[in-house]
Amino acid sequence: MRLVRFAFVRQMSLLSIGNPAIVSTKSSNIDMAGNSAKRRLTSSPSSLSRISSSEDVTTRVKRVSIEGNIAVGKSTFARLLQSADEAWEVVPEPISKWQSIQSGTTKGESSPQQTVSNLLHMMYQDPQRWSYTFQTYSCMSRLRTQLQPPPARLLRSEGTPVQVFERSVYSDRYIFALNMFELSCISPTEWAVYQDWHSFLVEQFGHQVELEGIIYLRAPPSKCMERLGSRGRAEEKGVQLDYLDKLHTQHERWLIEKTTELHFEKLKRIPVLELDASVEFESNPEVREQFITKVKNFFSGL
Ligand SMILES: Nc1ncnc2c1ncn2[C@@H]1O[C@H](COP(=O)(O)OP(=O)(O)O)[C@@H](O)[C@H]1O
Ligand SMILES: Nc1nc2c(ncn2[C@H]2C[C@H](O)[C@@H](COP(=O)(O)O)O2)c(=O)[nH]1
């Protein structure tokens, strides 16, 4: 089995030579241009200060994701939202989990956990080998994030309680996994398998993973490239503008043109708030206020 996999990977890497989708750089082998629904809530030790039972109360909480290209400013914007209203809870993208895969994650295990690898780095270094593995893990970690019950303070607060997730199980599939498939970094078999379990899980979890709205932070890929450079995340050193162009197109097809084939009824009708993320808001209180007002109006209309 390992041999088969090895042969497949070798074949894919040979095929990638001269493939404009996969350009080797010094630091990386990739530029990869080429509600009010009723929800059952999970309760876990880490959710002690979270609502764990009453459905009627928690159905008040709306759930929204922030979507957008790499380095468009999602985390920065999420921090702004977090400080703007105590009825809003921002749930960050679980990127640190991808950067630090832990061994021995079984509950009750006595041996201490150890970092085994950085899957984000591996995916950028060898996308043919690691993209499918990456998408299984990113999707599972997003699922966990989306299943988090809202903190109790959200329900005590005045105003409209909202959980805001940075990306979602939907962008996992309709932006990244789809893009990797189109770039041949995910094989047709892997894509078929991914789609099968993704649909199964999303349908099984039903209302628990549904969203009421999406905030789309939109900016030209060149602006994202500039910000990606200034952020300087080590794993992203080899990312090229061409890759951000492709991801931008996927966002546009899904959220603006609505031409991406979707497989979940509620998602087809989901309200989208589009914001011009190319504007600098951190140093401009007026722009910040405008954004917050738009978001408030959007949330109250969901
Ligand atoms: N509106 C903005 N104007 C100028 N710089 C921004 C803006 N939003 C984010 N940045 C900067 O761009 C970089 C990427 O932002 P970040 O929030 O980490 O993006 P994302 O979470 O979408 O990957 C950071 O260095 C951040 O300070
Ligand atoms: N191949 C994938 N890469 C992903 C996915 N989700 C995020 N990412 C990458 C993109 C960035 O390098 C980093 C964090 O993203 P930000 O936009 O928050 O900076 O992780 C994915 O599903 N597949």
Side-chain angles (χ1 to χ4, degrees):
M1 189 59 199
R2 285 178 72 88
L3 274 177
V4 171
R5 177 79 201 175
F6 178 70
F8 173 73
V9 171
R10 280 238 354 123
Q11 196 185 9
M12 290 302 281
S13 35
L14 287 173
L15 281 175
S16 76
I17 295 171
N19 178 348
I22 315 291
V23 174
S24 239
T25 68
K26 203 172 173 194
S27 59
S28 163
N29 289 328
I30 189 167
D31 83 356
M32 294 185 300
N35 140 358
S36 276
K38 293 258 179 211
R39 281 181 215 111
R40 279 173 293 127
L41 295 173
T42 52
S43 88
S44 67
S46 64
S47 63
L48 284 180
S49 62
R50 292 177 175 268
I51 298 294
S52 59
S53 58
S54 167
E55 272 188 21
D56 291 339
V57 189
T58 54
T59 51
R60 275 182 54 218
V61 179
K62 291 171 181 170
R63 295 147 58 92
V64 168
S65 75
I66 304 179
E67 306 290 353
N69 211 335
I70 303 174
V72 70
K74 296 177 298 300
S75 308
T76 310
F77 186 72
R79 282 194 294 275
L80 172 68
L81 294 190
Q82 188 63 87
S83 60
D85 195 322
E86 60 175 20
W88 302 345
E89 184 208 24
V90 167
V91 192
E93 194 172 40
I95 178 168
S96 59
K97 286 197 161 201
W98 314 334
Q99 291 171 308
S100 173
I101 303 292
Q102 302 287 305
S103 68
T105 51
T106 318
K107 280 210 174 103
E109 220 172 69
S110 53
S111 55
Q113 293 188 354
Q114 282 179 339
T115 300
V116 177
S117 53
N118 180 340
L119 185 56
L120 183 66
H121 175 75
M122 289 155 78
M123 182 274 298
Y124 276 124
Q125 289 296 311
D126 189 350
Q128 268 97 0
R129 170 65 184 85
W130 292 109
S131 285
Y132 176 77
T133 308
F134 188 91
Q135 294 310 145
T136 62
Y137 199 60
S138 57
C139 193
M140 193 186 73
S141 55
R142 293 189 208 282
L143 197 57
R144 271 196 185 128
T145 302
Q146 276 180 245
L147 289 170
Q148 279 210 23
R153 70 168 170 78
L154 234 63
L155 299 161
R156 288 194 299 265
S157 59
E158 306 215 332
T160 314
V162 186
Q163 270 186 306
V164 183
F165 303 100
E166 233 185 285
R167 295 216 176 97
S168 60
V169 293
Y170 305 111
S171 36
D172 199 278
R173 176 169 176 172
Y174 296 117
I175 300 291
F176 286 100
L178 174 61
N179 198 48
M180 288 306 196
F181 168 64
E182 289 179 356
L183 293 172
S184 301
C185 294
I186 282 181
S187 74
T189 306
E190 288 170 327
W191 182 225
V193 170
Y194 174 97
Q195 295 198 89
D196 192 26
W197 61 248
H198 186 281
S199 290
F200 175 73
L201 287 175
V202 170
E203 278 157 18
Q204 286 298 308
F205 281 107
H207 296 315
Q208 286 179 276
V209 293
E210 275 176 359
L211 300 174
E212 276 73 48
I214 290 177
I215 299 173
Y216 173 31
L217 296 188
R218 194 174 184 214
S222 55
K223 179 60 80 181
C224 300
M225 193 70 208
E226 204 182 285
R227 291 181 184 167
L228 185 145
S230 63
R231 177 173 65 191
R233 188 180 278 150
E235 295 89 343
E236 297 168 349
K237 266 191 195 140
V239 171
Q240 309 270 309
L241 180 58
D242 226 8
Y243 182 51
L244 298 188
D245 273 337
K246 291 250 177 325
L247 290 175
H248 179 73
T249 303
Q250 299 291 5
H251 281 91
E252 295 288 294
R253 284 185 190 144
W254 175 30
L255 299 169
I256 304 287
E257 297 156 15
K258 320 249 183 219
T259 51
T260 303
E261 190 197 352
L262 305 175
H263 304 81
F264 311 104
E265 283 313 308
K266 190 165 177 185
L267 192 65
K268 292 179 186 170
R269 293 173 276 106
I270 196 163
V272 177
L273 172 67
E274 179 198 328
L275 293 176
D276 179 3
S278 56
V279 214
E280 154 70 278
F281 60 79
E282 274 190 303
S283 60
N284 190 333
E286 223 172 277
V287 178
R288 273 204 310 269
E289 273 316 303
Q290 283 169 7
F291 276 165
I292 298 295
T293 306
K294 282 185 184 169
V295 169
K296 272 196 177 134
N297 291 340
F298 181 64
F299 287 171
S300 49
L302 294 177

